[in-house]
mmCIF file of all heavy atoms in Angstrom:
data_model
loop_
_atom_site.group_PDB
_atom_site.id
_atom_site.type_symbol
_atom_site.label_atom_id
_atom_site.label_comp_id
_atom_site.label_asym_id
_atom_site.label_seq_id
_atom_site.Cartn_x
_atom_site.Cartn_y
_atom_site.Cartn_z
ATOM 1 N N LEU A 235 58.725 -19.684 -58.863
ATOM 2 C CA LEU A 235 58.948 -20.761 -59.822
ATOM 3 C C LEU A 235 59.618 -21.953 -59.137
ATOM 4 O O LEU A 235 60.578 -21.785 -58.381
ATOM 5 C CB LEU A 235 59.822 -20.281 -60.982
ATOM 6 C CG LEU A 235 59.226 -19.202 -61.885
ATOM 7 C CD1 LEU A 235 60.186 -18.891 -63.023
ATOM 8 C CD2 LEU A 235 57.873 -19.631 -62.434
ATOM 9 N N PRO A 236 59.132 -23.162 -59.390
ATOM 10 C CA PRO A 236 59.772 -24.338 -58.806
ATOM 11 C C PRO A 236 61.087 -24.651 -59.501
ATOM 12 O O PRO A 236 61.353 -24.162 -60.617
ATOM 13 C CB PRO A 236 58.742 -25.447 -59.049
ATOM 14 C CG PRO A 236 58.006 -25.008 -60.279
ATOM 15 C CD PRO A 236 57.955 -23.514 -60.209
ATOM 16 N N THR A 237 61.915 -25.452 -58.857
ATOM 17 C CA THR A 237 63.163 -25.899 -59.476
ATOM 18 C C THR A 237 62.856 -26.570 -60.813
ATOM 19 O O THR A 237 61.962 -27.401 -60.910
ATOM 20 C CB THR A 237 63.876 -26.898 -58.551
ATOM 21 O OG1 THR A 237 64.156 -26.253 -57.310
ATOM 22 C CG2 THR A 237 65.176 -27.392 -59.171
ATOM 23 N N GLY A 238 63.598 -26.161 -61.835
ATOM 24 C CA GLY A 238 63.415 -26.761 -63.155
ATOM 25 C C GLY A 238 62.625 -25.926 -64.122
ATOM 26 O O GLY A 238 62.456 -26.317 -65.279
ATOM 27 N N VAL A 239 62.124 -24.765 -63.678
ATOM 28 C CA VAL A 239 61.370 -23.874 -64.569
ATOM 29 C C VAL A 239 62.090 -22.533 -64.635
ATOM 30 O O VAL A 239 62.340 -21.899 -63.605
ATOM 31 C CB VAL A 239 59.922 -23.676 -64.092
ATOM 32 C CG1 VAL A 239 59.183 -22.708 -65.016
ATOM 33 C CG2 VAL A 239 59.188 -25.010 -64.028
ATOM 34 N N ALA A 240 62.420 -22.103 -65.850
ATOM 35 C CA ALA A 240 63.085 -20.821 -66.075
ATOM 36 C C ALA A 240 62.097 -19.831 -66.680
ATOM 37 O O ALA A 240 61.049 -20.216 -67.211
ATOM 38 C CB ALA A 240 64.283 -20.999 -67.001
ATOM 39 N N ASN A 241 62.445 -18.552 -66.615
ATOM 40 C CA ASN A 241 61.563 -17.503 -67.126
ATOM 41 C C ASN A 241 62.328 -16.576 -68.063
ATOM 42 O O ASN A 241 62.483 -15.375 -67.787
ATOM 43 C CB ASN A 241 60.978 -16.712 -65.942
ATOM 44 C CG ASN A 241 59.907 -15.743 -66.370
ATOM 45 O OD1 ASN A 241 59.347 -15.831 -67.466
ATOM 46 N ND2 ASN A 241 59.599 -14.785 -65.494
ATOM 47 N N PRO A 242 62.801 -17.116 -69.215
ATOM 48 C CA PRO A 242 63.601 -16.282 -70.120
ATOM 49 C C PRO A 242 62.793 -15.172 -70.781
ATOM 50 O O PRO A 242 63.365 -14.190 -71.250
ATOM 51 C CB PRO A 242 64.105 -17.292 -71.156
ATOM 52 C CG PRO A 242 63.089 -18.384 -71.146
ATOM 53 C CD PRO A 242 62.631 -18.483 -69.727
ATOM 54 N N ASN A 243 61.458 -15.308 -70.825
ATOM 55 C CA ASN A 243 60.613 -14.308 -71.473
ATOM 56 C C ASN A 243 60.068 -13.275 -70.492
ATOM 57 O O ASN A 243 59.233 -12.444 -70.866
ATOM 58 C CB ASN A 243 59.456 -14.991 -72.198
ATOM 59 C CG ASN A 243 59.939 -15.934 -73.279
ATOM 60 O OD1 ASN A 243 60.879 -15.614 -74.017
ATOM 61 N ND2 ASN A 243 59.326 -17.097 -73.377
ATOM 62 N N ASN A 244 60.552 -13.323 -69.255
ATOM 63 C CA ASN A 244 60.154 -12.346 -68.231
ATOM 64 C C ASN A 244 58.634 -12.252 -68.052
ATOM 65 O O ASN A 244 58.059 -11.157 -67.977
ATOM 66 C CB ASN A 244 60.734 -10.967 -68.562
ATOM 67 C CG ASN A 244 62.247 -10.962 -68.482
ATOM 68 O OD1 ASN A 244 62.840 -11.533 -67.572
ATOM 69 N ND2 ASN A 244 62.887 -10.332 -69.460
ATOM 70 N N VAL A 245 57.988 -13.412 -67.997
ATOM 71 C CA VAL A 245 56.559 -13.443 -67.695
ATOM 72 C C VAL A 245 56.356 -12.912 -66.276
ATOM 73 O O VAL A 245 57.059 -13.334 -65.351
ATOM 74 C CB VAL A 245 56.023 -14.891 -67.807
ATOM 75 C CG1 VAL A 245 54.562 -14.960 -67.369
ATOM 76 C CG2 VAL A 245 56.188 -15.420 -69.223
ATOM 77 N N PRO A 246 55.444 -11.974 -66.064
ATOM 78 C CA PRO A 246 55.216 -11.460 -64.699
ATOM 79 C C PRO A 246 54.839 -12.606 -63.753
ATOM 80 O O PRO A 246 53.931 -13.389 -64.051
ATOM 81 C CB PRO A 246 54.056 -10.472 -64.874
ATOM 82 C CG PRO A 246 54.133 -10.050 -66.312
ATOM 83 C CD PRO A 246 54.608 -11.263 -67.064
ATOM 84 N N LEU A 247 55.521 -12.697 -62.630
ATOM 85 C CA LEU A 247 55.283 -13.792 -61.683
ATOM 86 C C LEU A 247 54.216 -13.381 -60.671
ATOM 87 O O LEU A 247 54.423 -13.390 -59.452
ATOM 88 C CB LEU A 247 56.589 -14.182 -60.998
ATOM 89 C CG LEU A 247 57.689 -14.693 -61.944
ATOM 90 C CD1 LEU A 247 58.939 -15.054 -61.163
ATOM 91 C CD2 LEU A 247 57.191 -15.887 -62.752
ATOM 92 N N THR A 248 53.064 -13.019 -61.205
ATOM 93 C CA THR A 248 51.928 -12.601 -60.381
ATOM 94 C C THR A 248 50.665 -13.305 -60.866
ATOM 95 O O THR A 248 50.583 -13.758 -62.015
ATOM 96 C CB THR A 248 51.717 -11.086 -60.463
ATOM 97 O OG1 THR A 248 51.547 -10.709 -61.842
ATOM 98 C CG2 THR A 248 52.903 -10.345 -59.882
ATOM 99 N N THR A 249 49.687 -13.383 -59.994
ATOM 100 C CA THR A 249 48.391 -13.948 -60.347
ATOM 101 C C THR A 249 47.346 -13.315 -59.444
ATOM 102 O O THR A 249 47.668 -12.489 -58.570
ATOM 103 C CB THR A 249 48.395 -15.483 -60.194
ATOM 104 O OG1 THR A 249 47.180 -16.015 -60.735
ATOM 105 C CG2 THR A 249 48.532 -15.903 -58.736
ATOM 106 N N SER A 250 46.091 -13.679 -59.635
ATOM 107 C CA SER A 250 45.020 -13.168 -58.778
ATOM 108 C C SER A 250 43.904 -14.200 -58.721
ATOM 109 O O SER A 250 43.810 -15.092 -59.575
ATOM 110 C CB SER A 250 44.482 -11.831 -59.314
ATOM 111 O OG SER A 250 43.895 -12.014 -60.591
#
Side-chain angles (χ1 to χ4, degrees):
L235 295 183
T237 300
V239 178
N241 188 17
N243 299 319
N244 294 318
V245 175
L247 299 180
T248 56
T249 188
S250 63

